[in-house]
Amino acid sequence: MTTAREYRTSSSTLFDQAMVELDADELLKASESLWEAAIRALKSLDERRGWRHDSPHGEFYKTLKRLEEEMDVAELSMQFAFALDVRLNSYENWLDIEEIRYRAAYIQRFISTVSGL
């Protein structure tokens, strides 16, 4: 079983990898790495709090809802929506590099916030 620390470490590593992939103009790879970085940050939080995360999408939205109610920070869902954008981009290739970088900044904030909880 993956630990909270391992999820957090891999989240950071994947985010850094995504930035390298963006610099190499590998937009689809960067998009997938950004998505995985966001998901692993959430899984780390779920592990630390003893919350489920075995049904990815449904459980992640439950985690976000709990956090927003607990902390009164509605922007987490918006930041997570940017992660969903890049996830779709990894299949559809509809975002250009600047749009991905824009979303990456929000994803980085999301990871930082979630990792600090």
Side-chain angles (χ1 to χ4, degrees):
M1 174 169 247
T2 306
T3 67
R5 173 181 260 160
E6 290 168 331
Y7 279 128
R8 190 180 328 181
T9 299
S10 64
S11 174
S12 177
T13 299
L14 282 162
F15 186 87
D16 293 344
Q17 177 182 321
M19 296 302 97
V20 170
E21 291 164 346
L22 276 177
D23 290 341
D25 208 31
E26 295 177 352
L27 305 186
L28 299 180
K29 287 182 182 179
S31 295
E32 184 63 25
S33 295
L34 286 166
W35 165 252
E36 283 295 322
I39 290 303
R40 291 181 190 201
L42 267 182
K43 286 183 177 186
S44 176
L45 175 69
D46 286 339
E47 281 292 317
R48 290 191 310 273
R49 297 214 175 176
W51 296 344
R52 290 184 53 195
H53 59 82
D54 55 344
S55 172
H57 293 90
E59 297 301 327
F60 294 144
Y61 283 103
K62 288 178 187 174
T63 296
L64 288 171
K65 183 176 178 169
R66 286 178 184 156
L67 290 175
E68 288 177 353
E69 289 171 354
E70 177 183 311
M71 301 171 50
D72 194 28
V73 286
E75 69 266 10
L76 281 177
S77 288
M78 183 198 66
Q79 293 165 351
F80 189 70
F82 283 125
L84 284 171
D85 278 354
V86 296
R87 172 70 191 268
L88 291 173
N89 188 65
S90 70
Y91 297 109
E92 301 294 332
N93 197 26
W94 55 278
L95 296 172
D96 66 29
I97 193 166
E98 292 308 316
E99 292 167 329
I100 296 171
R101 285 190 193 282
Y102 176 79
R103 285 160 175 78
Y106 284 95
I107 294 167
Q108 185 176 36
R109 284 185 228 149
F110 175 82
I111 292 168
S112 178
T113 299
V114 169
S115 295
L117 299 175

